[in-house]
């Protein structure tokens, strides 16, 4: 009997000794959980303060202005070519009218190209009011002269735009503008060739009608 009682007391003493150990373990676990939550919260704040990898490149204000001006310029060029096309149509130069209408469409596509690029870069575009294009000319030669001058002015505007992009070290915009520079070289060359042939009409009667036929057949592909 005494042995049984002694055994029970030893068992109860062991349980009592074990209980504080269990409390200590649970307290340690709670401390670990608290530390983990604090670490998670700190990490979350750190990530929220870090810019997203997908965030888009900020564009300098002067480049935003250049983009908006160029969109307006391309749309204005489209209107100018269309107005010249209508004048040629009234003067029964259908081939030249066709050429100019094609150029009008191309200039508008340029404007849309700039707009699409701006949308990808989150560059705000605000469409501006367009002045009415010139609608009357004294001669065929004057029409082509005005168109060539407009292309030359657009070339200079694009070059200034490119210079601004380089100063701002915006390499994406610089790369985007490259094809437009090359296209301006082609456009000025084509218009210069056409203008020279138009001027030769005084020396070679009938050349104007021949040129009109060529432009109607080949559109913008002028040798």
């Amino acid at each position: 009997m005494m042995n049984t009682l002694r055994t029970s007391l030893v068992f109860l003493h062991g349980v009592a000794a074990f209980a504080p150990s269990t409390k200590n373990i649970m307290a340690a676990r709670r401390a670990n959980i608290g530390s983990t939550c604090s670490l998670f919260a700190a990490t979350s704040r750190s990530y929220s303060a870090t810019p997203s990898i997908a965030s888009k490149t900020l564009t300098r204000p002067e480049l935003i202005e250049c983009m908006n001006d160029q969109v307006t310029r391309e749309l204005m060029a489209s209107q100018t070519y269309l107005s010249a096309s209508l004048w040629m149509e009234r003067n029964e130069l259908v081939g030249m009218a066709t050429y100019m209408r094609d150029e009008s469409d191309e200039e508008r596509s340029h404007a849309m190209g700039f707009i699409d690029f701006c949308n990808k870069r989150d560059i705000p575009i605000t469409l501006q009011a367009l002045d009415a294009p010139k609608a009357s000319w004294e001669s065929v030669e004057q029409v082509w002269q005005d168109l060539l001058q407009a292309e030359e002015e657009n070339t200079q505007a694009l070059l200034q735009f490119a210079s601004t992009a380089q100063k701002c070290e915006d390499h994406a915009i610089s790369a985007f503008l490259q094809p437009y520079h090359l296209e301006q070289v082609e456009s000025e060359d084509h218009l210069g060739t056409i203008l020279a042939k138009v001027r030769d009409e005084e020396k070679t009667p009938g050349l104007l009608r021949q040129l009109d036929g060529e432009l109607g057949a080949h559109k913008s592909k002028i040798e």
Side-chain angles (χ1 to χ4, degrees):
M1 183 68 179
M2 291 298 294
N3 289 336
T4 302
L5 180 60
R6 195 177 292 113
T7 302
S8 298
L9 289 173
V10 170
F11 174 77
L12 291 174
H13 178 74
V15 170
F18 178 74
S21 177
T22 303
K23 291 180 180 179
N24 291 339
I25 291 173
M26 295 301 295
R29 286 182 178 176
R30 285 194 294 270
N32 287 337
I33 292 173
S35 298
T36 302
C37 291
S38 298
L39 178 61
F40 178 78
T43 304
S44 299
R45 287 194 297 271
S46 176
Y47 274 112
S48 64
T50 303
S52 171
I53 296 175
S55 63
K56 302 191 178 179
T57 305
L58 294 177
T59 304
R60 297 273 292 273
E62 54 266 46
L63 287 176
I64 294 176
E65 182 179 358
C66 285
M67 276 292 185
N68 277 271
D69 288 346
Q70 192 59 38
V71 168
T72 301
R73 193 172 289 106
E74 298 292 347
L75 291 174
M76 191 65 227
S78 176
Q79 292 284 79
T80 299
Y81 271 109
L82 184 58
S83 182
S85 174
L86 294 172
W87 188 88
M88 290 293 183
E89 192 78 42
R90 289 195 299 270
N91 286 274
E92 299 182 350
L93 293 166
V94 180
M96 294 186 182
T98 300
Y99 175 93
M100 292 173 182
R101 180 169 294 190
D102 289 343
E103 288 298 307
S104 174
D105 292 342
E106 185 170 343
E107 297 295 345
R108 187 177 186 280
S109 73
H110 290 171
M112 294 307 301
F114 278 90
I115 290 172
D116 290 342
F117 178 85
C118 289
N119 286 337
K120 293 175 184 177
R121 279 279 299 268
D122 279 349
I123 298 175
I125 291 294
T126 303
L127 297 180
Q128 305 296 326
L130 301 178
D131 295 332
K134 187 175 180 178
S136 181
W137 290 266
E138 295 297 325
S139 66
V140 174
E141 179 181 342
Q142 186 183 36
V143 176
W144 289 106
Q145 177 112 23
D146 286 353
L147 293 176
L148 178 57
Q149 181 179 347
E151 290 289 359
E152 290 171 345
E153 291 173 355
N154 192 33
T155 296
Q156 292 304 311
L158 282 169
L159 290 174
Q160 292 176 5
F161 190 174
S163 295
T164 303
Q166 289 175 357
K167 290 177 182 177
C168 294
E169 296 184 349
D170 195 317
H171 305 298
I173 290 181
S174 295
F176 170 75
L177 292 175
Q178 282 300 320
Y180 293 96
H181 295 313
L182 297 176
E183 192 163 337
Q184 285 303 119
V185 173
E186 293 294 328
S187 294
E188 289 186 29
D189 180 59
H190 287 164
L191 289 177
T193 299
I194 294 171
L195 182 58
K197 289 184 178 182
V198 169
R199 287 170 174 166
D200 283 343
E201 168 68 12
E202 296 180 359
K203 302 175 184 177
T204 310
L207 186 60
L208 189 63
R209 290 295 173 184
Q210 180 182 340
L211 176 60
D212 184 63
E214 292 175 4
L215 288 170
H218 302 289
K219 296 183 180 180
S220 60
K221 296 180 182 179
I222 307 301
E223 299 297 331

